[in-house]
Amino acid sequence: MNERRHALKALAVGVFAVAIAADTMAQANVNKEIVPTGKLRVGINGSNATLYARAADGSATGISADLGKFIADKLGVPFEPVVYSGAAAYTASFGKGEWDIIVTGRNPLAAKRVDFMPDVILIDYVFLAAPGREFSGPDQVDRAGVKIGVPRNASADAFLTPRLKSAELVRLAGDAAIATEMLRDGKIDLYATGTDSVQRIADSLPGSKIIGVFDTVAFAISTAKGWSPEVKARLTQMVNEAKAAGIVQKAIDTSGRKGVRAAPN
């Protein structure tokens, strides 16, 4: 009887050890798929003031960077920000293998080239009218002769392209300085993008005026197409942990941007 008990105990221990080894190997494979280079490369739209900012020491901060650091720490690998100057350069990187994860807006253009996972933040999208241009609300901008600037291939572009009937879209690289110059010089009548970025332009352009919200965009952790369900589940778990730990809300509070809020779980 004792010999049988010992045999069953040894078998149970062996099965448990095999299960632990298999789980460890599976987790290692998941981590390798997320970080094939051994470091977590996070693609960041440098023109989005909520997703990205520079700290006093020159390091990357903002929601994309803070989430990236949290996930990299969970994976036990270095964090590497891959920063793009504007929306056009950022969206052009989709599918090129230059980054591992990003935080990007849910829109039809992005959906063709990335897979969305958990929502992280919600950003209100507004129009900024050039000095001397008057519009009573967002429903009054679609008129003949009106030129509306948008960051190329970004969420405002995706939203307005199929909806505008009379106004003309002017697609820009997404750089705030270029948008400010074109508004100041009268080359565009309005600029459409997230409240966070619009506010930065408005602060530097006396006489400009923010026109009400025309859309609210959810920004989600996203990956290149085709990642395994196991990897997506692991990333979802880590993002939810970051949200529960207050990482997202702290980044929003630090940025001081209006029209930005944490996405519900």
Side-chain angles (χ1 to χ4, degrees), residues 160-183:
L160 293 172
T161 293
R163 290 172 172 82
L164 291 180
K165 305 302 181 184
S166 301
E168 175 188 350
L169 274 187
V170 179
R171 295 177 174 87
L172 309 177
D175 182 89
I178 295 175
T180 303
E181 179 182 341
M182 294 191 72
L183 286 165

Side-chain angles (χ1 to χ4, degrees), residues 22-32 34 75 234 237:
D23 184 67
T24 301
M25 181 173 290
Q27 189 60 61
N29 289 338
V30 166
N31 290 359
K32 186 175 181 180
I34 297 173
L75 295 172
R234 175 65 174 139
Q237 176 189 7

